[in-house]
Amino acid sequence: MSEEKPPQPKLPPTNALDNSSSHEFGNWFEYPVRVQPHHTDYAGLVWHGSYIAWMEEARIECLRSIGIEFVDLVAIGCDLLVVELSVRYHRSIQLGMAVVVKTRMAEVTGVRINWDYAIVSTDGQELYVTAKVSLVALDRERGKIMRQLPPSFKDALAKISALNNN
């Protein structure tokens, strides 16, 4: 008599996310990327780590767009460390394709800053990756988490928060 195997756990369906329309990302910062050979594996598909690098680039450019230069944060002794990362891969991206990395600051709680990401086709019809990243502010000199964000940084983040809520 053969034993029945218990059913394997399944990921939730992604079809609800597959047809995301551009209005869902209305107040998100957009960072265009074209897939270069160094972004891919031997099969010409984007290597999973490339997506994370693109998300960081998009976040840095988003901050720059509101007047925060990362180099200035470092100069005042503040670094932003990734403490949590969640990535969901929906579809592969291939060599030569153009995509858009969309990002927005989701929430600031004390010195923790949460960001949302979506990597989509240039026409917004295909969803390739969704992700969430949590950062904390670190005092570079002491090597410890800051008790509060530097005032200039906190003020600039308030600007981006206001943009996201409109």
Side-chain angles (χ1 to χ4, degrees), residues 96-147:
M97 290 175 65
V99 296
V100 178
V101 181
K102 295 181 176 267
T103 187
R104 70 175 177 186
M105 188 182 67
E107 178 183 29
V108 178
T109 307
V111 295
R112 179 183 283 257
I113 308 163
N114 297 317
W115 290 82
D116 292 330
Y117 297 88
I119 300 177
V120 300
S121 59
T122 55
D123 65 4
Q125 297 303 306
E126 301 288 335
L127 179 64
Y128 300 108
V129 174
T130 51
K132 293 183 178 297
V133 173
S134 293
L135 308 168
V136 295
L138 179 81
D139 181 321
R140 292 175 54 94
E141 187 176 306
R142 293 184 15 219
K144 295 188 178 192
I145 294 174
M146 295 179 152
R147 292 178 184 241

Side-chain angles (χ1 to χ4, degrees), residues 59-71:
R59 182 176 67 247
I60 298 300
E61 290 303 317
C62 180
L63 290 173
R64 178 176 285 129
S65 77
I66 60 163
I68 299 172
E69 293 287 339
F70 201 84
V71 69

Side-chain angles (χ1 to χ4, degrees), residues 39-76:
H39 297 141
T40 65
D41 61 17
Y42 66 92
L45 299 176
V46 173
W47 174 66
H48 67 277
S50 294
Y51 296 111
I52 296 166
W54 295 347
M55 290 185 294
E56 182 163 5
E57 291 168 17
R59 182 176 67 247
I60 298 300
E61 290 303 317
C62 180
L63 290 173
R64 178 176 285 129
S65 77
I66 60 163
I68 299 172
E69 293 287 339
F70 201 84
V71 69
D72 293 339
L73 278 177
V74 172
I76 64 170

